[in-house]
Amino acid sequence: MSLSTAITIAQSAFNNTAAQTAIVSKNIANAGNADYSRRLALLGSTPNGAQVVSIYRAQNEALLKQSISSIGQSSGQGRLLSGLELLKSSLGGNDYETSPATFLAAFRDSLQTFASTPGNTTMAASAVSDAGDLVNSISTTANAVQNLRTDADKEIALEVEKLNSLLADFEQANNAVKAATAQEQDASDALDQRDTILKQISEIVGISTVTRANNDTVIYTSDGTVLFETMARSVTFTPKTAYDATIAGNRIYIDGVPVAAGAGANTTAEGKLASLLQLRDDIAPKFQSQLDEIARGLVTMFQEGGAPGLFTWAGGTVPATATVQPGMAATLVVNPLAKANPLLLRDGGFNGIVSNPGGAATPNAGYTALLEGYIAAMGQDMTFDPATGLDGTSSILDFATSSIGWLEQLRSTASTASDNKSALLARTQEALSKETGVSIDEELSLLLDLEQSYKASAKLVSTVDAMMAALLEAVR
């Protein structure tokens, strides 16, 4: 081996070591970055000796796709659960202490107490007050349901805007990947950026991907609609300014195709958009219809002469049996006449029909027939609209209790499903991290190997330098 050859070999080794050390340093600097994939400088034989010929980026397409799918499922389930938790909190929390069912039972107890002492004006006023608390619970809950729908609608608008922005970013990253791949250049940074955007998109809408020539990626939604192919597809949505029980929300369109809402407590939704649609257009309206039926039941049960008695509402009528009157719960009130004269609850007379045999002028203070009839009616079966998702034939007390049970069953199932999907996501991300993430121990070990390579190259240079010095000395 000539001295010039030895110098060339040493120089090549220094260059390779520098390139490899730079990659290892970059890996270590990104050890805590979940969106970074480990790099490795690959050596190959060339006419000038061993050289870094390419940068290998650790990847596992199957695990990446599973991770993206799990992100969508976990995100959708988590958003559904948070909406159900919000509904639960509007009803008082764990014990549902401010729910209509709670106040309905309290009102029934007040009626029973009043019936035991029908001449007690204080007990009459207390019963009317409890009726007011019941009405307030129903109307407040109805308003909370519509606020949930309004907030969901606003969030949909924000997520659609974010999704369009992410798709524009993805187009740039995808073009960078295609260009680098076509020119046989290192595309690692662009690939990292593109995978990061894919994960962010999957939080909003469920997706799947297909990779074509030059690492070009096509994105489909979970139901098969093209979301990105060469260029981003348009995602459109028109929000509503406010909601009530009579207003239906607008749909979300991807390239003209409507996005489907999720279904079930263990929701089929992948991504936030499908869960928000499910909350806005399915769960909240169904719970609203249950509240409306409770309100209708009260107006019907306490009617007097075919017109509202103790309980009335904006419509001012007694609605048809077993038919939801949309928005009735929000306008339910206690008849102002009962507040002015609580004994009307005992005697009747809201619409001029006095039931007390003593008449309006000299009522019988011991009269209880009307009160006992109300109390009995609250425990008797009546017909409810089956569109509420509850038993169509039950007492109003059981119906109100079933409504809370329905909501709690949804919330409980959604909570369990959220835990399961979060656990699956964590395991998938852990498996992906083991395949593509950075191990500090491995990088430090490689760094020690590179240090030894550097020392060997330095020793070779030192030896050549000594030989050159000896040769020059001999020439002299």
Side-chain angles (χ1 to χ4, degrees):
M1 179 189 296
S2 66
L3 294 181
S4 60
T5 301
I7 289 294
T8 300
I9 292 173
Q11 183 180 16
S12 176
F14 279 133
N15 291 337
N16 292 339
T17 302
Q20 290 175 295
T21 301
I23 293 297
V24 172
S25 298
K26 187 174 184 178
N27 287 340
I28 293 174
N30 287 277
N33 184 356
D35 296 321
Y36 177 85
S37 292
R38 181 175 180 253
R39 318 284 204 262
L40 186 64
L42 299 180
L43 298 177
S45 297
T46 69
N48 295 322
Q51 287 185 351
V52 174
V53 293
S54 65
I55 304 299
Y56 169 76
R57 175 179 176 268
Q59 55 187 346
N60 186 311
E61 287 299 319
L63 281 176
L64 176 61
K65 289 183 177 182
Q66 179 59 49
S67 178
I68 288 173
S69 176
S70 296
I71 288 172
Q73 293 171 5
S74 180
S75 176
Q77 189 68 54
R79 186 60 189 86
L80 179 69
L81 177 60
S82 65
L84 292 171
E85 292 285 6
L86 189 61
L87 279 180
K88 179 179 180 178
S89 67
S90 71
L91 295 167
N94 290 334
D95 296 327
Y96 292 95
E97 56 267 23
T98 62
S99 69
T102 300
F103 285 104
L104 189 59
F107 174 56
R108 188 268 317 271
D109 293 343
S110 289
L111 286 178
Q112 290 175 333
T113 302
F114 181 30
S116 66
T117 56
N120 192 322
T121 304
T122 301
M123 290 296 99
S126 178
V128 171
S129 176
D130 285 346
D133 291 341
L134 170 59
V135 164
N136 184 63
S137 171
I138 293 172
S139 60
T140 299
T141 303
N143 288 332
V145 169
Q146 296 309 317
N147 287 339
L148 174 67
R149 297 184 71 208
T150 301
D151 291 343
D153 200 73
K154 291 178 181 177
E155 188 174 347
I156 289 172
L158 292 174
E159 293 297 332
V160 166
E161 182 181 359
K162 181 179 178 182
L163 178 57
N164 282 317
S165 176
L166 287 171
L167 289 172
D169 293 342
F170 183 85
E171 183 173 346
Q172 294 181 359
N174 191 59
N175 288 338
V177 169
K178 290 192 297 182
T181 303
Q183 298 169 18
E184 298 185 351
Q185 297 176 349
D186 179 25
S188 297
D189 288 343
L191 285 167
D192 278 354
Q193 182 186 9
R194 192 174 70 174
D195 288 351
T196 299
I197 296 172
L198 280 175
K199 294 174 184 177
Q200 293 173 335
I201 290 174
S202 67
E203 291 182 359
I204 301 174
V205 60
I207 59 172
S208 62
T209 61
V210 173
T211 302
R212 306 189 297 195
N214 290 329
N215 268 328
D216 180 26
T217 291
V218 179
I219 308 176
Y220 299 92
T221 63
S222 54
D223 59 2
T225 303
V226 176
L227 188 60
F228 178 93
E229 185 176 13
T230 306
M231 61 181 294
R233 298 300 193 261
S234 175
V235 184
T236 58
F237 172 71
T238 303
K240 294 288 182 72
T241 55
Y243 275 85
D244 62 34
T246 64
I247 295 176
N250 290 322
R251 307 192 73 171
I252 307 167
Y253 293 94
I254 297 177
D255 202 23
V257 179
V259 174
N266 182 4
T267 184
T268 58
E270 294 186 29
K272 294 180 182 178
L273 289 182
S275 287
L276 288 167
L277 288 174
Q278 183 179 359
L279 284 168
R280 189 197 68 181
D281 300 336
D282 178 20
I283 293 175
K286 185 162 289 187
F287 190 50
Q288 173 71 55
S289 71
Q290 295 168 9
L291 295 171
D292 289 335
E293 279 293 81
I294 293 173
R296 184 190 61 78
L298 288 172
V299 171
T300 300
M301 192 177 303
F302 287 82
Q303 66 177 299
E304 184 180 276
L310 175 63
F311 298 100
T312 187
W313 64 295
T317 62
V318 177
T321 301
T323 304
V324 172
Q325 189 70 40
M328 185 175 180
T331 66
L332 185 69
V333 295
V334 172
N335 195 318
L337 294 175
K339 296 179 181 179
N341 181 11
L343 290 178
L344 289 177
L345 184 58
R346 179 197 66 188
D347 303 330
F350 291 105
N351 299 301
I353 303 174
V354 178
S355 299
N356 194 310
T362 57
N364 180 359
Y367 178 69
T368 61
L370 196 57
L371 290 173
E372 289 172 353
Y374 291 148
I375 295 168
M378 293 181 75
Q380 293 173 352
D381 285 350
M382 59 188 304
T383 306
F384 294 98
D385 193 330
T388 61
L390 303 180
D391 190 351
T393 304
S394 69
S395 70
I396 193 170
L397 288 167
D398 288 342
F399 186 86
T401 301
S402 296
S403 176
I404 298 304
W406 173 84
L407 179 61
E408 178 57 25
Q409 180 64 38
L410 275 179
R411 191 209 61 81
S412 178
T413 303
S415 179
T416 300
S418 181
D419 290 341
N420 292 339
K421 291 176 182 179
S422 294
L424 176 60
L425 173 59
R427 289 195 296 270
T428 302
Q429 290 181 329
E430 181 181 0
L432 181 61
S433 178
K434 288 180 179 179
E435 293 287 333
T436 64
V438 176
S439 167
I440 291 293
D441 291 340
E442 290 182 10
E443 298 305 318
L444 291 178
S445 177
L446 181 56
L447 202 57
L448 289 175
D449 292 341
L450 292 173
E451 181 182 4
Q452 295 303 317
S453 176
Y454 179 84
K455 287 181 179 179
S457 299
K459 182 65 175 177
L460 178 58
V461 171
S462 177
T463 300
V464 170
D465 181 61
M467 293 176 68
M468 290 289 292
L471 181 60
L472 290 174
E473 185 65 28
V475 171
R476 290 177 186 172

